[in-house]
């Protein structure tokens, strides 16, 4: 099981077309600090019908879109 599964299920479960989530929000959902492994695991989100469209390291947020 992926350590990001709880995040993917959160995104799918809320059924929005687009999300903009701060790193702080992501860490609250996950229960741990984001690390560079997110860049590898983000591909798992495709299995849930979503894709990471943007990651802003400077402003510390991600944008996720359906499809």
């Amino acid at each position: 099981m992926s350590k990001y599964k709880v995040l993917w299920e959160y995104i799918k479960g809320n059924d929005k077309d687009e999300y903009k989530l701060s790193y702080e929000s992501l860490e609250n959902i996950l229960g741990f600090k984001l690390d560079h492994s997110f860049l590898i695991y983000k591909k798992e989100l495709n299995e849930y019908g979503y894709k990471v469209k943007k990651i802003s390291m400077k402003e510390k947020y991600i944008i996720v879109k359906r499809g």
Side-chain angles (χ1 to χ4, degrees):
M1 180 171 105
S2 169
K3 69 181 189 176
Y4 291 98
K5 185 176 180 179
V6 68
L7 176 59
W8 309 150
E9 289 179 348
Y10 170 85
I11 290 170
K12 184 178 180 185
N14 284 300
D15 200 35
K16 293 182 183 178
D17 289 331
E18 183 174 309
Y19 291 87
K20 182 177 181 181
L21 298 164
S22 69
Y23 283 17
E24 183 179 354
S25 296
L26 295 168
E27 291 169 353
N28 285 336
I29 294 165
L30 291 166
F32 59 85
K33 293 275 188 195
L34 279 179
D35 57 30
H36 290 297
S37 71
F38 181 77
L39 298 173
I40 297 167
Y41 286 99
K42 70 179 184 168
K43 294 174 186 169
E44 293 176 343
L45 189 53
N46 294 339
E47 297 171 24
Y48 292 84
Y50 289 85
K51 294 181 182 180
V52 175
K53 289 297 197 178
K54 181 175 183 175
I55 298 173
S56 175
M57 303 287 259
K58 182 179 178 183
E59 296 178 31
K60 297 188 176 186
Y61 69 84
I62 68 165
I63 294 177
V64 174
K65 285 188 156 187
R66 186 186 312 267

